[in-house]
Amino acid sequence: MFAMPLGDDGAQLRPLEPWQAEEFLAHMDRARGLVDPWIPFAAAATDLDSARALLQRYADKQAADTGRIYGIWLDGTLVGGVLFRIFEAARGVCEIGCWLEPAGQGRGLVHRASRTLMEWAFDVRGMHRVEWIASAANTRSVAAAERLGMTREGVLREAFLHRGERHDEEIWAVLASEWRAAR
């Protein structure tokens, strides 16, 4: 297993794997209030079996080169994560997602971890486009996309149904050429 440092504060980015289901579930229990209003991710991990199944789905995606999931650890505790929800190498397009629990907020962890994924996607895998899709009402996620240098490309009105309520989704993206020019 590897751990990639995310800065001077001891934060680390590591793969999340099925054998870590218990730690992941404890983290999701702490994060649920922040995550659940926006995405069904937290609702997909409510007990040990469902947490393991979610991590196994991403292990299978990684094996198929269609997605990946990573945790963000701070002081040895899992406090959030980032993922390639979609990874289409043949098309050169992927989508990044993120989440945090309260202990991880306000430290720039999502920004640093997302940049790490974007650098890998562009520089190692040769991706052409990285997308970020967020509920228009999720101001933290929208702000994160903007801080990452992404461009708001549009809104899909009432495109996402979550907990019986329709949400507008904002589509943000950055192209490889823009990413390289900004660095």
Side-chain angles (χ1 to χ4, degrees):
M1 182 159 116
F2 75 87
M4 177 175 285
L6 290 175
D8 297 340
D9 58 0
Q12 295 182 329
L13 185 67
R14 303 183 209 161
L16 268 171
E17 300 175 353
W19 64 269
Q20 296 165 301
E22 191 171 328
E23 182 178 17
F24 179 68
L25 177 61
H27 158 63
M28 275 292 105
D29 287 343
R30 296 187 303 268
R32 203 170 311 283
L34 285 176
V35 175
D36 196 54
W38 310 115
I39 56 175
F41 197 72
T46 56
D47 57 33
L48 194 54
D49 288 339
S50 60
R52 187 176 292 110
L54 187 149
L55 295 177
Q56 185 61 54
R57 279 194 302 278
Y58 274 92
D60 295 343
K61 281 182 156 210
Q62 182 164 340
D65 199 26
T66 60
R68 297 170 191 276
I69 189 169
Y70 300 92
I72 301 169
W73 276 261
L74 186 62
D75 299 324
T77 301
L78 179 62
V79 296
V82 289
L83 55 81
F84 287 112
R85 192 181 76 79
I86 296 168
F87 196 89
E88 297 179 4
R91 284 192 335 128
V93 176
C94 60
E95 178 194 337
I96 291 180
C98 67
W99 72 94
L100 282 175
E101 66 179 64
Q105 288 187 315
R107 299 169 180 262
L109 296 173
V110 161
H111 182 80
R112 290 183 272 161
S114 296
R115 282 190 63 84
T116 299
L117 264 60
M118 292 166 74
E119 288 170 1
W120 181 82
F122 288 132
D123 297 344
V124 176
R125 293 305 305 276
M127 298 303 271
H128 177 72
R129 173 185 171 88
V130 174
E131 298 177 342
W132 186 283
I133 300 174
S135 168
N138 187 346
T139 57
R140 285 182 179 261
S141 187
V142 168
E146 190 169 15
R147 278 192 304 275
L148 286 164
M150 295 184 158
T151 298
R152 182 177 180 257
E153 296 184 334
V155 176
L156 301 174
R157 297 178 306 136
E158 297 186 5
F160 183 63
L161 180 63
H162 180 56
R163 300 215 173 269
E165 183 179 331
R166 292 226 167 253
H167 296 257
D168 291 351
E169 288 184 319
E170 290 194 13
I171 309 298
W172 291 75
V174 63
L175 304 178
S177 59
E178 296 166 335
W179 179 257
R180 288 184 186 104
R183 291 194 317 189

